[in-house]
Amino acid sequence: MANLFFIPNNIITGENAIRLSMDHITAFGKKALIVTDEAMVKFGNVKKLTDELDGVGIAYEIYPGINSEPTHSMIDAGAVIYKESGCDFLIGIGGGSPLDSMKAIAVVAANGGRITEYAGKKIEKDSPPTVAIPTTAGTGSEATKVSIITNTDTDVKMLLSDAKLMAKLAVVDPVFTLTVPPSVTAATGIDALTHAVEAFTSVKAFPMSDIFAESAVVKIFENIQACYTDGSNLSARQQMATAALEAGIAFSNASVTIVHGMSRPIGALFHVAHGQSNAMLLNVCLKFLKQGAVPQLCRLANGIGVYQDGMMPEEGADAFVNATLALLKTLDVKPIQAFGVSEEDFFRLIPKMADDALASGSPGNTRRVPTKDDLMGLYKELWSEGL
Ligand SMILES: NC(=O)c1ccc[n+]([C@@H]2O[C@H](COP(=O)([O-])OP(=O)(O)OC[C@H]3O[C@@H](n4cnc5c(N)ncnc54)[C@H](O)[C@@H]3O)[C@@H](O)[C@H]2O)c1
Ligand SMILES: [Fe+2]
């Protein structure tokens, strides 16, 4: 079977990547819409970018109106600002939320209408040039053809997936991630780990995606704790930034599976940050998906050094699952109850969450394909695990 492998046109990585990126950015247009959040303005990351843009004579308009879990109205408003301010390309700087928003605004700017019209639809026109500058090591959005935007009318996190959403240029400078606080370092790093494990065990995995997935898993096991305990460790931050990029490339090509499928409804309905909901779900989902993915998990056990000679494949897979669960324990993963979710609301919404998860298509990529009953059972287990 043949597979098409998608990545951005160019990827610049390493310290001072932003300066090197100017050689490319000057070819993209005359005025950029910078899509970001208020925290990026406060931390001075936007200023680092605008200083470089000033240096090469590129004009810009700053749209800092994004927050965690971006909504459809933020996207539609951004597209209006893009047009009214006469921009001809876009730069997203921030975590996955501003990057996803930047890619979605570009789609609306090129194709018209509102972002909610594009859920599950093929996007017709090419976006204007887009530049993605991540400041968290997590989503890999800088290198994915995915954008996740919440439709607040339906309380559904829309999964937009189309080659036209891929950024033209990804600029991955680990220096930006030095200011990420421990809780966000853990949540975003676990998001990247989830991308890599799901891509590696997905029914859509193929040799090119496996290379990136496996490499990301190894890097994350080796570096996530160092970043969590000492945020100023630049070499560990560099490894995590690369791992998140690799994990994004892996899942953008091979898809995510059950964890992300079940995670999005929790984010949309209870406003739990994406990495946090993935982290709590890994606990119950890894054991579920293992039955369909023993050889893959055994290979990952070998990669992270927990496979021992003479182990049967099943034992190897168990070794990987146990190592992952042990890692999560060191990263202060919170249970669902810690997010102010009431038992009554959670159980009432389990059927909707299971339906929305299945409708997203992600659970169908799992090697052990879950039914709606399986998903409802796993949501219930998630609740009881947290008690
Ligand atoms: N497009 C994709 O492929 C993809 C993949 C996974 C997740 N997502 C989506 O990405 C979003 C989550 O992205 P995220 O996890 O990066 O979180 P985020 O962008 O929401 O950021 C989380 C918090 O960290 C802060 N932050 C970001 N960078 C910082 C820095 N350098 N220093 C200090 N604080 C910083 C932000 O201001 C915010 O408060 C969700 O909407 C999720 O659904 C997208
Ligand atoms: Fe994710």
Side-chain angles (χ1 to χ4, degrees):
M1 184 184 163
N3 297 94
L4 179 60
F5 186 68
F6 284 110
I7 46 171
N9 279 20
N10 291 102
I11 301 174
I12 304 177
T13 56
E15 267 184 271
N16 286 323
I18 198 153
R19 173 139 309 165
L20 182 57
S21 72
M22 291 301 136
D23 295 348
H24 298 262
I25 287 176
T26 43
F28 288 170
K30 291 189 166 36
K31 185 169 183 183
L33 180 72
I34 299 176
V35 181
T36 191
D37 64 24
E38 292 290 356
M40 292 304 98
V41 178
K42 193 182 102 196
F43 279 106
N45 290 339
V46 171
K47 169 121 186 9
K48 279 186 199 146
L49 169 64
T50 54
D51 283 350
E52 296 294 337
L53 293 173
D54 288 338
V56 292
I58 298 274
Y60 46 82
E61 180 77 25
I62 300 172
Y63 174 45
I66 309 303
N67 57 26
S68 288
E69 316 297 329
T71 65
H72 72 279
S73 346
M74 293 176 194
I75 304 310
D76 296 339
V80 171
I81 295 171
Y82 177 86
K83 291 221 160 118
E84 288 182 351
S85 56
C87 294
D88 49 9
F89 72 107
L90 298 95
I91 304 177
I93 181 165
S97 301
L99 301 194
D100 278 9
S101 301
M102 181 274 295
K103 299 193 294 187
I105 290 169
V107 163
V108 176
N111 292 270
R114 306 176 70 207
I115 193 62
T116 44
E117 293 161 29
Y118 296 98
K121 297 232 174 71
K122 194 176 173 310
I123 295 164
E124 292 299 332
K125 292 188 192 150
D126 283 339
S127 292
T130 49
V131 182
I133 309 177
T135 63
T136 56
T139 69
S141 178
E142 65 275 14
T144 74
K145 58 182 169 70
V146 173
S147 171
I148 299 168
I149 306 297
T150 300
N151 180 338
T152 47
D153 294 338
T154 57
D155 277 340
V156 170
K157 263 187 140 183
M158 301 181 293
L159 172 66
L160 305 162
S161 178
D162 190 295
K164 293 197 168 60
L165 282 159
M166 181 68 81
K168 194 159 182 161
L169 174 65
V171 182
V172 185
D173 187 334
V175 173
F176 284 124
T177 65
L178 288 171
T179 50
V180 179
S183 60
V184 179
T185 298
T188 50
I190 295 168
D191 186 25
L193 178 64
T194 312
H195 293 155
V197 173
E198 292 198 275
F200 199 71
T201 56
S202 162
V203 292
K204 294 183 180 160
F206 57 103
M208 285 297 290
S209 63
D210 282 349
I211 292 170
F212 288 86
E214 197 171 3
S215 172
V217 170
V218 173
K219 283 191 182 72
I220 294 166
F221 266 84
E222 286 173 353
N223 293 284
I224 191 169
Q225 267 177 309
C227 293
Y228 180 65
T229 52
D230 174 13
S232 65
N233 182 335
L234 184 59
S235 75
R237 291 286 199 187
Q238 165 84 67
Q239 292 293 317
M240 280 302 294
T242 307
L245 169 71
E246 290 174 339
I249 291 172
F251 96 78
S252 176
N253 284 282
S255 296
V256 282
T257 65
I258 186 169
V259 183
H260 271 76
M262 290 180 67
S263 177
R264 287 184 219 103
I266 292 181
L269 292 164
F270 302 113
H271 311 292
V272 175
H274 178 70
Q276 291 280 1
S277 55
N278 284 341
M280 64 179 80
L281 278 163
L282 270 177
N283 268 320
V284 293
C285 291
L286 269 183
K287 291 176 212 149
F288 177 90
L289 70 81
K290 191 202 86 181
Q291 288 180 30
V294 165
Q296 290 78 13
L297 295 179
C298 186
R299 205 169 119 192
L300 291 179
N302 197 26
I304 63 165
V306 295
Y307 177 85
Q308 286 164 12
D309 283 348
M311 275 184 171
M312 300 296 286
E314 179 104 19
E315 291 172 307
D318 281 335
F320 180 77
V321 172
N322 292 335
T324 307
L325 300 186
L327 182 69
L328 294 179
K329 285 211 168 68
T330 68
L331 296 170
D332 193 22
V333 171
K334 293 189 178 57
I336 182 76
Q337 290 84 357
F339 295 88
V341 179
S342 80
E343 181 169 2
E344 195 200 331
D345 284 348
F346 190 78
F347 278 79
R348 182 174 48 81
L349 288 163
I350 282 179
K352 173 175 167 56
M353 291 196 284
D355 281 337
D356 290 351
L358 283 175
S360 76
S362 303
N365 301 322
T366 317
R367 282 177 191 271
R368 178 185 174 193
V369 179
T371 61
K372 181 177 174 185
D373 277 350
D374 289 331
L375 295 184
M376 293 204 300
L378 288 165
Y379 278 122
K380 287 176 190 156
E381 215 179 303
L382 177 71
W383 185 267
S384 49
E385 286 251 330
L387 292 173

